């Protein structure tokens, strides 16, 4: 996963923008493990200008009966901390 400072960067299966090997493996696992599955990883600079990123992960899939499902989570990755 790469980091873009000052802008939002979307990394998705369809775009092929996720260049880290471990990220590509995880996205591919999500795609193949879930029925009609896909996943995206969005990385944005912290709003307060701190060193780090907000990371949003969204996983979607469609149940065999046609019902769509989505799971979203957000984490903040701080590269440094000042108390």
């Amino acid at each position: 996963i790469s980091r873009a400072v000052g802008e939002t960067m979307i990394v998705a299966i369809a775009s092929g923008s996720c260049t880290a090997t471990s990220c590509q493996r995880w996205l591919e696992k999500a795609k193949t493990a879930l029925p009609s599955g896909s996943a995206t990883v969005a990385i944005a600079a912290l709003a307060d200008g701190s060193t780090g990123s907000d990371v949003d992960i969204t996983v979607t899939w469609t149940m065999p009966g046609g019902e769509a499902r989505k799971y979203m989570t957000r984490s903040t990755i701080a590269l440094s901390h000042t108390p």
Side-chain angles (χ1 to χ4, degrees):
I1 297 174
S2 61
R3 182 174 164 266
V5 177
E7 61 186 68
T8 300
M9 179 186 67
I10 302 295
V11 181
I13 291 172
S15 72
S17 299
C18 183
T19 58
T21 302
S22 58
C23 184
Q24 283 291 316
R25 277 193 303 246
W26 182 84
L27 290 170
E28 191 59 35
K29 284 181 185 180
K31 182 180 176 184
T32 59
L34 297 167
S36 299
S38 67
T40 60
V41 178
I43 303 168
L46 296 176
D48 67 2
S50 299
T51 304
S53 300
D54 282 327
V55 180
D56 294 329
I57 298 173
T58 304
V59 179
T60 58
W61 66 98
T62 303
M63 300 297 289
E67 184 179 348
R69 302 285 176 99
K70 181 183 346 185
Y71 176 80
M72 297 169 51
T73 187
R74 170 177 276 188
S75 292
T76 299
I77 310 298
L79 302 178
S80 63
H81 174 69
T82 304

